[in-house]
């Protein structure tokens, strides 16, 4: 598969400094995430010159040797990588890769890491990436301790971080027996996206919006992440988690915190984490009555799914933040599989004027309130809608919009993909875009009423927007997706 888009090798080197040498230990190296994101991302960082001294030691349950794994990695990077394929660059990257079957034990892993460090001269750090299910995380942490690979290391943990409050506390306790909290990076790839980080810039760099970013001017907020994909090969994982655990706790709530937090004292990891945790502490526990769970028709026929499965493939809910800034403002969240479109948006609805001076039939209010919309997709966009006068005689109003897209900056090639950015940040020791143990435990705490008494799953047709009951959750408002007006190209 030949890729056609081109890209300079020195991407972002003017803004991001090359890191010190690292050995990356990639658990779950043959898995779907490693194939689609992690291996192509590491190749991209290598080509960009951002991790010039890097060795990769991959491990998983498959019995492979170095050459067999390199062949797998070659096909993955060729299929899912960005930029024009360069076989010479691949060969250089492939020489940095080794593979150890996980069944060979801690001593074999330690030996492979030791050889990689010797190649680098010994003065290097270690980054352990746990691309494994939550149930396997404790075993991997114990293996790293047995292999004596804790010093000079940081560990990236994939979501979900447990499946409820009890399991998250047990997992965090097990991690903290081996690693200090400052060594742990709990990943949420949504926050690695350029558009999500732009929320901070938009709010705190502009005097226009921060004064109105509160309950006095904002009526409600929607965070909507529908997906068109089905389970693929993830039935075993999904049956034990479902849409709420998989997406809401570890993605949508994190985006909510970016949108809702107070101004931090500085754009530094500790300050930002503290403000996010304040949002989580202010969240009201999720009542089951304000949640709709759905399951797409045909889910129970998927390979590996129980014929009586009550796992939700869709969830929509209303939540509230009980603090001075947001009291009384509802936040509506929705996500699910096999829906009509794939999208990732935050939509902020402003309060309408308390009184209209415009004559009947003018059109004011006919198309809903003014909205500020962030599109968190890879081709990120931002839109501000408002009413304006229609040209011509009389006073007729139309809904207009100001729009901005990333490609208009001329810097689209400077953007690192979300996983690339987060791997780079973890290597740098920057916790800004990661969550803390306190934060994740609080989110499981507010989720407890829902997890203990979940509402029944409702069927919905693939290609729809979910069960009809979602309209009762958001009434008297309406869901922004599907958009009545498309984004301008």
């Amino acid at each position: 598969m030949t890729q056609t888009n081109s890209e300079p090798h020195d991407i972002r080197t003017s803004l991001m400094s090359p890191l010190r040498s690292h050995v990356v230990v990639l658990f779950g190296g043959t898995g779907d995430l490693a194939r689609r994101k992690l291996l192509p991302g590491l190749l991209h960082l290598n080509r960009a010159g951002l991790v010039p001294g890097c060795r990769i030691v991959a491990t998983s349950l498959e019995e492979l040797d170095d050459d067999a794994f390199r062949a797998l990695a070659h096909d993955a990077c060729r299929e899912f990588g960005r930029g024009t394929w360069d076989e010479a660059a691949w060969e250089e990257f492939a020489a940095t890769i080794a593979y150890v079957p996980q069944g060979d034990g801690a001593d074999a892993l330690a030996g492979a890491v030791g050889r990689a460090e010797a190649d680098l001269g010994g003065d290097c750090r270690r980054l352990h990436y746990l691309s494994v299910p939550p149930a396997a995380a404790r075993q991997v942490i114990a293996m790293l301790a047995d292999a004596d690979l804790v010093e000079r290391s940081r560990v990236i943990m994939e979501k979900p971080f447990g499946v409820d409050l009890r399991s998250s506390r047990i997992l965090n306790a097990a991690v903290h027996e081996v690693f200090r909290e400052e060594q742990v990076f709990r990943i949420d790839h949504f926050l690695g996206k350029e558009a999500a980080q732009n929320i901070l810039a938009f709010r705190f760099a502009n005097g226009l919006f921060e004064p109105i970013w509160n309950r006095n001017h904002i009526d409600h907020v929607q965070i909507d992440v529908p997906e068109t994909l089905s389970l693929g090969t993830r039935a075993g994982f999904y049956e034990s988690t479902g849409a709420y655990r998989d997406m809401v706790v570890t993605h949508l709530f994190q985006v909510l915190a970016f949108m809702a937090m107070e101004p931090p004292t500085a754009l530094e990891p500790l300050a930002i984490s503290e403000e996010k945790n304040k949002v989580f502490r202010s969240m009201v526990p999720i009542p089951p009555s304000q949640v709709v769970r759905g399951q797409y028709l045909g889910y129970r026929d998927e390979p590996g799914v129980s014929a009586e499965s009550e796992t939700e493939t869709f969830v929509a809910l209303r939540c509230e933040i009980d603090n001075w800034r947001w009291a009384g403002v509802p936040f509506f969240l929705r996500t699910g599989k096999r829906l009509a479109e794939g999208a990732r948006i935050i939509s902020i609805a402003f309060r309408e004027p308390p009184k209209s001076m415009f004559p009947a039939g003018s059109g004011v209010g006919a198309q809903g309130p003014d909205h500020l919309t962030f599109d968190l997709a890879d081709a990120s966009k931002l839109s501000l809608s408002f009413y304006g006068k229609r040209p011509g005689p009389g006073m007729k109003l139309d809904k207009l919009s100001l729009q901005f897209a990333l490609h208009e900056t001329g810097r689209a090639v400077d953007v690192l993909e979300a996983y690339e950015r987060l791997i780079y940040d973890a290597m740098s020791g920057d916790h800004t875009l990661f969550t803390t143990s306190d934060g994740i435990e609080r989110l499981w705490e507010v989720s407890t009423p829902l997890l203990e008494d979940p509402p029944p799953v409702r069927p919905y047709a693939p290609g729809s927007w979910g069960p009809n009951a979602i309209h009762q959750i958001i009434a008297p408002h309406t869901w922004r997706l599907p958009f009545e007006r498309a984004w301008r190209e």
Side-chain angles (χ1 to χ4, degrees):
M1 177 178 172
T2 300
Q3 305 202 22
T4 57
N5 56 311
S6 61
E7 163 192 293
H9 284 203
D10 62 348
I11 176 175
R12 263 206 151 175
T13 49
S14 63
L15 301 177
M16 304 177 77
S17 301
L19 300 171
R20 63 184 291 187
S21 299
H22 270 77
V23 174
V24 178
V25 183
L26 178 55
F27 289 87
T30 60
D32 189 62
L33 177 62
R35 291 178 58 253
R36 289 178 175 271
K37 295 293 185 181
L38 305 182
L39 291 166
L42 288 165
L43 170 60
H44 188 231
L45 290 171
N46 181 276
R47 290 184 65 191
L50 294 176
V51 285
C54 183
R55 297 291 184 273
I56 298 169
V57 177
T59 181
S60 70
L61 299 178
E62 280 76 4
E63 292 289 334
L64 303 174
D65 60 16
D66 289 350
D67 289 338
F69 181 77
R70 286 170 185 157
L72 180 151
H74 174 277
D75 293 344
C77 291
R78 186 93 187 241
E79 181 176 0
F80 300 112
R82 297 197 290 157
T84 303
W85 180 255
D86 184 334
E87 193 68 29
W90 160 256
E91 292 295 340
E92 178 183 328
F93 179 67
T96 70
I97 299 174
Y99 181 83
V100 180
Q102 203 161 326
D104 288 0
D107 290 342
L109 181 64
V113 173
R115 290 188 292 274
E117 292 181 338
D119 287 345
L120 295 172
D123 182 23
C124 59
R125 296 197 64 89
R126 302 159 178 160
L127 180 70
H128 307 305
Y129 199 119
L130 275 58
S131 180
V132 298
R138 292 173 63 191
Q139 179 183 351
V140 171
I141 292 293
M143 185 176 186
L144 289 171
D146 291 342
D148 196 22
L149 296 176
V150 177
E151 292 303 315
R152 296 181 284 109
S153 73
R154 300 182 177 111
V155 56
I156 295 179
M157 300 190 66
E158 268 291 337
K159 56 87 176 176
F161 317 105
V163 295
D164 53 24
L165 180 59
R166 178 177 177 275
S167 62
S168 69
R169 284 176 171 168
I170 291 173
L171 177 57
N172 280 327
V175 171
H176 289 154
E177 286 180 3
V178 177
F179 292 96
R180 301 183 305 277
E181 176 65 15
E182 59 265 27
Q183 292 178 277
V184 183
F185 293 75
R186 297 168 187 83
I187 199 167
D188 170 22
H189 73 271
F190 273 43
L191 297 189
K193 293 181 176 294
E194 196 77 15
Q197 298 163 54
N198 200 38
I199 297 171
L200 299 181
F202 192 84
R203 283 190 61 187
F204 302 132
N206 297 295
L208 177 62
F209 287 100
E210 180 56 27
I212 62 172
W213 210 267
N214 55 56
R215 60 186 173 83
N216 296 322
H217 301 281
I218 292 177
D219 184 75
H220 67 278
V221 177
Q222 295 182 37
I223 302 176
D224 210 346
V225 186
E227 299 179 356
T228 58
L229 300 175
S230 61
L231 296 186
T233 59
R234 303 174 70 221
F237 165 79
Y238 209 79
E239 273 288 271
S240 63
T241 54
Y244 184 82
R245 290 178 170 93
D246 183 39
M247 290 292 293
V248 176
V249 174
T250 49
H251 288 324
L252 274 64
F253 281 161
Q254 302 298 327
V255 173
L256 181 152
F258 256 34
M259 184 269 159
M261 71 182 191
E262 295 296 317
T265 55
L267 282 178
E268 297 174 352
L270 186 61
I272 290 176
S273 293
E274 177 56 26
E275 296 305 332
K276 285 173 58 185
N277 286 345
K278 286 180 183 177
V279 173
F280 300 149
R281 290 195 291 270
S282 299
M283 288 178 64
V284 177
I286 308 298
S289 62
Q290 296 298 311
V291 179
V292 173
R293 297 167 70 237
Q295 186 184 90
Y296 66 78
L297 295 170
Y299 171 77
R300 295 176 182 177
D301 299 326
E302 300 273 11
V305 173
S306 167
E308 290 83 33
S309 174
E310 291 296 312
T311 300
E312 80 279 359
T313 62
F314 171 97
V315 64
L317 60 99
R318 171 185 173 136
C319 64
E320 296 184 9
I321 300 172
D322 189 19
N323 63 17
W324 190 273
R325 183 182 292 264
W326 297 113
V329 177
F331 289 75
F332 300 102
L333 281 57
R334 175 173 63 170
T335 186
K337 301 286 187 184
R338 297 293 304 275
L339 296 176
E341 296 177 17
R344 297 165 180 171
I345 71 158
I346 303 175
S347 189
I348 299 163
F350 292 98
R351 294 191 182 278
E352 298 188 53
K355 181 175 175 60
S356 174
M357 67 184 73
F358 296 94
S362 66
V364 66
Q367 298 182 58
D370 300 338
H371 283 89
L372 175 64
T373 304
F374 294 89
D375 183 347
L376 304 186
D378 291 333
S380 60
K381 305 183 184 80
L382 183 152
S383 174
L384 176 63
S385 69
F386 55 92
Y387 286 96
K389 183 183 178 300
R390 182 186 303 172
M395 183 56 75
K396 293 287 186 178
L397 303 180
D398 287 327
K399 204 63 175 289
L400 308 174
S401 68
L402 298 173
Q403 294 188 10
F404 158 81
L406 177 65
H407 68 82
E408 296 172 1
T409 65
R411 301 297 298 272
V413 296
D414 286 351
V415 176
L416 292 179
E417 195 273 335
Y419 279 99
E420 297 166 1
R421 170 63 190 267
L422 293 169
I423 290 171
Y424 178 93
D425 283 357
M427 288 180 171
S428 305
D430 186 343
H431 278 87
T432 301
L433 303 179
F434 298 85
T435 192
T436 66
S437 58
D438 290 345
I440 199 66
E441 288 183 14
R442 172 57 184 167
L443 290 176
W444 285 122
E445 186 178 5
V446 302
S447 302
T448 297
L450 171 62
L451 298 178
E452 290 182 345
D453 185 25
V457 292
R458 302 168 183 260
Y460 65 94
S464 69
W465 286 98
N468 287 332
I470 63 172
H471 302 297
Q472 301 168 16
I473 289 288
I474 203 170
H477 314 295
T478 58
W479 292 99
R480 286 274 283 156
L481 287 176
F483 286 131
E484 294 181 0
R485 295 176 297 121
W487 290 90
R488 288 197 294 271
E489 295 298 329

